[in-house]
Amino acid sequence: MTNPTAVPEPGPRDATKTYAAAGSDTDVAAIAPDPAVAEGILADAPAVDVFDADTHREAKEIIARYPMSRSALLPMLHLVQSVQGYVSQEGIAFCAQHLDLTDAEVSAVATFYTMYKRRPCGEHLVSVCTNTLCAALGGDDIYKKLQTHLGSAEKPLGHEETAGTPGEQGSITLEHAECLAACDLGPVLQVNYEYFDNQTPEQAVALVDALQAGKKPAPTRGAALTDFKGAERQLAGFWPEDDATYRSAVDGPSQAVETLRGAQIAADRGWSAPGAQDVPLPEVEKK
């Protein structure tokens, strides 16, 4: 039987030692107990602007698309990722500065959506659907196979961990995704958000091997494969100005036989949806 600890007494008790300094990706202004303390910390180590003049110019282009500047936050975060490969604390400050938001407001959005990564990503992001239908069809097996293939049996690669050095050619970040919205083609995975349908563990291994070798296999549907930063630039709304280059980047098959099967059966059998009824809108009481 262990002895009970002493009842703590009221009053201040200064720690005899500290264990770790704040990391470079820590929002010290948000966690400091006293604003004056935060100002002192930031004065000693001011935030570094890691974005060049072109990125600042493109941020202003994004903001100009919207009637309210804060509406530009999502594409702005994609712009940050297209430069850094993730959303760093400097990226948070960059968005906050341009949009007249607090770092906390930007952080709340960046940590809510899974597409915004808080750790550096590899050249390619491989997302394996592990939601119910894909999992039952083999998605769990694919994910486990890639974990050991990109890692090892003793140390499988974890969720959002990277095989290789982030950002370098052939590096791959692996993640399990809750749903990739392609249940009719499961099990599916994505590389930089482009679809590879009806996968098997063996096909998935061959795919990541090709990526590590510097190849870019054609997706089952959608545009030609790019790298993670390139995909993020497209999500930020920046495309090649040359029409031929633009078309080569975006054109690709966007539908599958499985997806259209229901519509085809309806057409063959002469089925149609009932027409919409013209129902008057209810009157709203004036205030």
Side-chain angles (χ1 to χ4, degrees), residues 196-211:
F196 290 82
D197 304 318
N198 297 311
Q199 292 292 290
T200 65
E202 294 72 27
Q203 289 174 316
V205 166
L207 174 59
V208 298
D209 284 347
L211 295 173

Side-chain angles (χ1 to χ4, degrees), residues 112-221:
F112 180 83
Y113 294 103
T114 58
M115 289 181 77
Y116 302 123
K117 308 303 181 186
R118 298 311 308 274
R119 292 188 291 180
C121 271
E123 181 188 19
H124 299 290
L125 173 66
V126 174
S127 313
V128 182
C129 185
T130 56
N131 211 330
T132 307
L133 185 55
C134 276
L137 293 173
D140 282 349
D141 293 335
I142 291 173
Y143 183 65
K144 291 176 183 177
K145 182 69 174 179
L146 291 183
Q147 283 187 293
T148 56
H149 184 72
L150 294 172
S152 66
E154 294 75 23
K155 190 177 180 181
L157 198 68
H159 173 63
E160 290 192 346
E161 290 185 352
T162 301
T165 302
E168 291 189 1
Q169 183 175 346
S171 56
I172 293 176
T173 298
L174 179 68
E175 69 173 358
H176 66 81
E178 282 303 311
C179 183
L180 296 181
C183 300
D184 46 347
L185 297 163
V188 300
L189 60 82
Q190 289 180 338
V191 178
N192 309 322
Y193 306 117
E194 299 295 347
Y195 281 101
F196 290 82
D197 304 318
N198 297 311
Q199 292 292 290
T200 65
E202 294 72 27
Q203 289 174 316
V205 166
L207 174 59
V208 298
D209 284 347
L211 295 173
Q212 289 181 313
K215 301 176 182 178
K216 293 182 179 178
T220 310
R221 295 174 286 129

Side-chain angles (χ1 to χ4, degrees), residues 240-251:
E241 293 184 5
D242 176 67
D243 188 64
T245 308
Y246 169 77
R247 287 297 168 191
S248 67
V250 301
D251 282 350

Side-chain angles (χ1 to χ4, degrees), residues 204-240:
V205 166
L207 174 59
V208 298
D209 284 347
L211 295 173
Q212 289 181 313
K215 301 176 182 178
K216 293 182 179 178
T220 310
R221 295 174 286 129
L225 195 63
T226 182
D227 57 17
F228 177 70
K229 288 184 178 179
E232 287 299 304
R233 183 164 179 79
Q234 293 174 359
L235 289 169
F238 292 101
W239 301 89

